[in-house]
Amino acid sequence: MTARIIDGKQVAADMRAELKQEVAGLKEQGITPGLGVILVGDDPASVSYVTGKERTCDELGIYSDHHHLPAETAQADLMALVRKMNADPKINGILVQLPLPKHMDESEVIFAIDPAKDVDGFHPVSVGKMVVGEKTFLPCTPHGVLHLLLRSGVQIEGSHVVIVGRSNIVGKPLANMLIQKSPTGNATVTVCHTRTKDLAHYTRQADIVVAAAGRPNTITADMVKDGVVVIDVGVNRVEDATKKRGYRLVGDVDFEVVKEKASLITPVPGGVGPMTITMLMVNTVESAKRAGGVSK
Ligand code: NAP
């Protein structure tokens, strides 16, 4: 079996086209969704993520208020900016690009964001609501994974999903979303990590494998069963002298061989990545609708 490729770029483009129309409709009602973006320092990956977010805001007609602060910014100044954005009615969502420089306390910053504007879904109020199955902002990457599965027609209910990785931004929230007693959940979920004994023992049982380990070749062909659905969240740089920049991006899955066994698989790049920014925009538009009284 050779897998059908899940084209995350296309799914994201479809969702963005729908959102663009929705934003145009909201503007006619006097509601302009707005996203506040804060970047501290010049980490190249963070700069590129933030640039992508601003570009997408422009593309969709979402107002964006961008602040690029020097790496040596004091915690108190960042906290003051977050509080200013909390109080600004033009801003419906606040995104503080992580990781922050080492001298800063990330938790304090995340906790300071008004949960009503927590479009990254990292505030404990959002996390708690997600766990108990209440409506809230879901974290963008796992929410993107869920949409990729749904829009690809994958049966989630009753499936055994094995997630490799237990981070607060991917593995844990995804596991929570998939075990919800809801039409988009009802899966049986196993979460694996570095202390899991015999990872392959679990992945071989999976109907759906989600790799979010941050290590190339974590999932190889012998570790999956025929017909498995594979979602590769990993983004890893591997040296490649044939590339101008000296490296190429790969996921956590040995794509070329696993695709010969899988029924569906996401590539890297072009799989989960484009969905993450899209889900941020979905949350920002939803927040604007709630603030404008058109959604609860
Ligand atoms: P993270 O915080 O480093 O967590 C990695 C998780 O994987 C940990 O729970 C770790 O276990 C587990 N792990 C690592 N190696 C493993 C192995 N060999 N076997 C089993 N488990 C293993 O990473 P993250 O932030 O969740 O990100 C994961 C990957 O996704 C990274 O490559 C990141 O760049 C990518 N990512 C992509 C997007 C996107 O938009 N496409 C967004 C977010 C992240 P322990 O807990 O035991 O250490």
Side-chain angles (χ1 to χ4, degrees):
M1 175 182 281
T2 300
R4 183 159 66 85
I5 307 294
I6 299 178
D7 186 347
K9 262 193 199 161
Q10 189 56 53
V11 176
D14 293 347
M15 290 186 72
R16 286 179 198 184
E18 292 162 20
L19 264 182
K20 192 173 175 175
Q21 277 198 342
E22 194 176 0
V23 170
L26 286 171
K27 283 184 169 173
E28 283 171 13
Q29 301 173 60
I31 299 169
T32 301
L35 179 68
V37 180
I38 305 174
L39 170 65
V40 188
D42 296 300
D43 172 64
S46 294
V47 170
S48 121
Y49 291 143
V50 163
T51 308
K53 285 162 189 172
E54 284 174 298
R55 200 183 321 119
T56 311
C57 280
D58 285 349
E59 182 193 322
L60 302 187
I62 293 174
Y63 163 73
S64 77
D65 180 20
H66 177 223
H67 294 256
H68 190 172
L69 309 177
E72 57 279 7
T73 299
Q75 175 93 8
D77 292 338
L78 176 56
M79 298 292 286
L81 180 55
V82 168
R83 282 193 286 270
K84 196 170 154 224
M85 287 185 170
N86 280 342
D88 185 344
K90 292 198 298 300
I91 293 178
N92 304 108
I94 300 172
L95 177 124
V96 180
Q97 184 65 46
L98 302 178
L100 289 171
K102 287 206 168 33
H103 69 279
M104 287 186 153
D105 179 346
E106 275 185 8
S107 296
E108 194 189 16
V109 176
I110 292 170
F111 290 18
I113 294 172
D114 179 350
K117 299 187 177 187
D118 176 35
V119 287
D120 247 344
F122 294 155
H123 192 286
V125 169
S126 310
V127 176
K129 285 186 172 179
M130 173 187 67
V131 171
V132 296
E134 263 192 55
K135 191 173 173 186
T136 186
F137 297 118
L138 297 172
C140 300
T141 300
H143 197 194
V145 170
L146 184 65
H147 273 270
L148 276 183
L149 291 170
L150 293 172
R151 291 199 174 219
S152 307
V154 175
Q155 165 90 20
I156 296 174
E157 179 163 310
S159 291
H160 182 197
V161 185
V162 175
I163 301 170
V164 185
R166 58 174 164 185
S167 72
N168 289 337
I169 63 166
V170 189
K172 273 190 218 163
L174 182 62
N176 269 294
M177 288 175 204
L178 294 173
I179 57 169
Q180 292 300 322
K181 197 167 187 173
S182 81
T184 60
N186 286 329
T188 302
V189 178
T190 302
V191 181
C192 301
H193 44 80
T194 55
R195 307 296 165 92
T196 299
K197 289 180 187 158
D198 194 1
L199 179 62
H201 168 77
Y202 297 98
T203 55
R204 275 190 208 114
Q205 297 172 43
D207 303 307
I208 302 168
V209 171
V210 180
R215 201 188 67 136
N217 295 326
T218 300
I219 306 297
T220 51
D222 58 315
M223 293 172 71
V224 295
K225 69 180 180 188
D226 283 324
V228 67
V229 173
V230 179
I231 306 290
D232 193 350
V233 182
V235 180
N236 307 294
R237 283 183 181 192
V238 294
E239 275 184 36
D240 186 341
T242 68
K243 302 279 177 201
K244 214 165 117 191
R245 53 190 181 181
Y247 68 88
R248 69 193 150 88
L249 295 180
V250 300
D252 291 349
V253 175
D254 189 356
F255 181 82
E256 288 306 323
V257 289
V258 173
K259 82 173 180 354
E260 297 305 320
K261 269 181 108 172
S263 58
L264 279 168
I265 191 167
T266 58
V268 177
V272 175
M275 294 298 290
T276 298
I277 294 183
T278 303
M279 300 321 294
L280 178 72
M281 301 300 143
V282 167
N283 283 350
T284 303
V285 171
E286 175 60 25
S287 180
K289 282 160 67 179
R290 287 185 205 168
V294 294
S295 171
K296 279 189 192 157

